[in-house]
Amino acid sequence: MPDPGPLTQVAGQPWQLVSAVSGLVGVLVGGIISGGVQAWLLSRRIVADETLAERKFNFDKDLAERKFKYDRDLHDHKRKVELAEQALTAFYEARDVFISARSRGIYGGEGASRTALEGESKAQQEQRNRYFIPIERLTQNKEVFARLRSLRYSFIAYFGEAATAPFEEVFSVQIKIITAASIIIQMAPQDDEGDHRHSFKTSIEPLLNELGWGTAERPDESDRKIEKAIHDIEELCRAVLRQA
């Protein structure tokens, strides 16, 4: 008679079959649970990695933005300091130029750079040359005013529209001197004697005051404009230079 084998032996004993099946189910369930746990842990790890990567990205982005803002602010500050130094220097130089241009002192040869007009008498030429001196002095220092004009727009861009006021004050005094001197030159008579001289001196007195050569007391309006321009530009610039 053939050997029934293990299965037949197990089948012949129901409790042993139940035990074997239970063991197999336990193994399967355990495998499923273990796999589920691993999958859950893996998903959590993926989420954690993604969260960490997102945080790192946001941190790097914030750091880059902060660095960009810092570099930009530093560049702007350095530029403002540079403009402030240049502006103060130019305004101080302009003040010295105005002091010279409006000085009554005359040195030999001054005014001779004026181009004489056809038909001028000797007396008229001498007078016109004398009143050309303020224009000549300003012209000899034209690079100072050229620098101020060049700085004006950059200064407004960094310090605001109100920063234009000191520049305009300086330019207005410059124009006033040139205009007054030009009118006097045109009015100069052919001779410098008698009634002509007296009439000429009387009519140009207000213009001489504009030049600083008249009888008006000093400091006059132009002096005050220049000092106000210096004061205002110092207020703007020193606030920046104190932070340098």
Side-chain angles (χ1 to χ4, degrees), residues 122 150 197 204:
K122 183 179 180 181
S150 176
R197 178 176 182 176
I204 67 170

Side-chain angles (χ1 to χ4, degrees), residues 110-136 181-192 200 211 213:
E110 282 196 296
S113 63
R114 184 187 72 88
T115 302
L117 300 177
E118 186 178 352
E120 286 182 349
S121 66
K122 183 179 180 181
Q124 190 177 40
Q125 183 176 350
E126 289 176 353
Q127 282 196 85
R128 287 179 168 176
N129 285 354
R130 182 164 61 251
Y131 294 116
F132 182 74
I133 290 174
I135 297 177
E136 185 178 72
S182 297
I183 294 173
I184 295 175
I185 290 170
Q186 292 175 4
M187 293 174 61
Q190 284 284 347
D191 59 73
D192 193 28
F200 175 62
L211 298 182
W213 290 11

Side-chain angles (χ1 to χ4, degrees), residues 91 94 98 145 148 165-175 229:
F91 270 84
F98 284 132
F145 299 101
L148 282 172
F167 291 86
E168 297 304 328
E169 293 282 14
V170 167
F171 299 145
S172 70
V173 175
Q174 179 193 21
I175 292 171

